[in-house]
Amino acid sequence: MEKYSYVIGIAGGTSSGKTTLMRNIVASCGDGVTVLSHDNYYKRRDDLPYEERCKINYDEPAAFDTSLMIYHLDELRHGRAVECPVYDFTIHNRTNEVLRIEPKDVIIVEGILIFENEELRSMMDMKIFVDADADTRVCRRIKRDVNKRGRTIESVIEQYHATVKPMHEKYVEPTKRYADIIVPEGGKNKIALGLIMEHIHSHIQSPA
């Protein structure tokens, strides 16, 4: 009987701690894990100038090419490598580069809206929702976007109120009900991380 990769979905609001949790899992699993980030599957917007790309709502499902991500995840689960697009937040568009992702025993799928799509959700063996209060998330987002994505504080706050907050309430928060595990404080929650790792290791060590 063929043994597929074990797929873990990590969802949650912007700057909730998803990446920290993901990195801690990767560090604990070593070379046996690979990561597929929904952020890299934002649609290519070559048809729009930078000024127009800045105005797009990036926090709704239509902003993503989720069907391509589903295809890539299915390929990885069956042991085949994929070429993932690379997204550049400083230009609000994909680059011309691709990232070759190799199949591993464990695949982590990460993103704010990965539980919103039923087909994608059904491919996950474990679904984790990382929870953090809104004040914490917005402060983290401001720090991240200013330091790493070349944004101004004003633009981050404006985007948060215009799209991030309402889209979180409409699309992200409702998907919490699909989670197998809800983790407050993300990667900082050592007890939750320990339980998650115990479950992952038991799967990796089990026979096909």
Side-chain angles (χ1 to χ4, degrees):
M1 181 178 178
E2 184 178 2
K3 183 176 180 180
Y4 296 108
S5 298
Y6 191 75
V7 181
I8 302 169
I10 303 179
T14 179
S15 301
S16 58
K18 298 185 300 300
T19 301
T20 302
L21 178 61
M22 176 269 291
R23 287 174 177 167
N24 286 339
I25 293 174
V26 170
S28 298
C29 288
D31 294 334
V33 62
T34 194
V35 178
L36 210 57
S37 175
H38 207 191
D39 282 352
N40 276 326
Y41 291 85
Y42 277 115
K43 292 177 179 177
R44 181 178 285 280
R45 301 287 186 172
D46 293 338
D47 56 319
L48 298 175
Y50 173 78
E51 292 74 18
E52 292 300 314
R53 295 200 299 268
C54 290
K55 301 174 183 177
I56 293 173
N57 180 354
Y58 291 99
D59 294 274
E60 63 176 351
F64 297 90
D65 187 355
T66 302
S67 61
L68 178 60
M69 188 185 205
I70 290 170
Y71 171 72
H72 281 172
L73 178 57
D74 191 55
E75 289 289 285
L76 289 169
R77 287 176 68 239
H78 286 84
R80 295 184 286 268
V82 300
E83 293 190 340
C84 171
V86 176
Y87 190 82
D88 186 343
F89 285 92
T90 65
I91 61 172
H92 295 288
N93 206 1
R94 289 186 190 177
T95 70
N96 292 322
E97 300 176 2
V98 293
L99 179 64
R100 182 176 175 84
I101 299 180
E102 300 289 342
K104 298 289 180 66
D105 289 336
V106 176
I107 302 170
I108 296 177
V109 181
E110 179 267 337
I112 61 172
L113 288 170
I114 59 169
F115 294 169
E116 188 275 336
N117 184 285
E118 183 178 2
E119 184 178 1
L120 179 59
R121 192 172 68 238
S122 69
M123 300 170 74
M124 301 172 190
D125 300 290
M126 179 194 294
K127 296 179 288 295
I128 303 169
F129 190 96
V130 179
D131 213 7
D133 67 80
D135 289 343
T136 298
R137 290 190 291 103
V138 71
C139 289
R140 288 175 180 170
R141 185 181 176 104
I142 290 172
K143 183 178 180 180
R144 180 199 67 190
D145 285 7
V146 170
N147 292 339
K148 297 181 179 180
R149 298 181 178 177
R151 312 286 168 77
T152 64
I153 293 176
E154 292 76 13
S155 69
V156 178
I157 294 174
E158 181 181 351
Q159 183 183 25
Y160 180 81
H161 287 294
T163 60
V164 177
K165 184 176 185 291
M167 294 300 100
H168 175 87
E169 294 171 351
K170 182 176 182 179
Y171 293 114
V172 182
E173 188 69 20
T175 66
K176 186 189 295 186
R177 69 181 184 271
Y178 299 120
D180 301 305
I181 304 171
I182 297 175
V183 181
E185 299 305 316
K188 295 181 179 180
N189 192 322
K190 301 302 182 183
I191 294 176
L193 177 63
L195 293 172
I196 292 167
M197 291 312 307
E198 183 179 336
H199 189 81
I200 293 172
H201 287 309
S202 68
H203 169 79
I204 293 175
Q205 295 166 6
S206 66

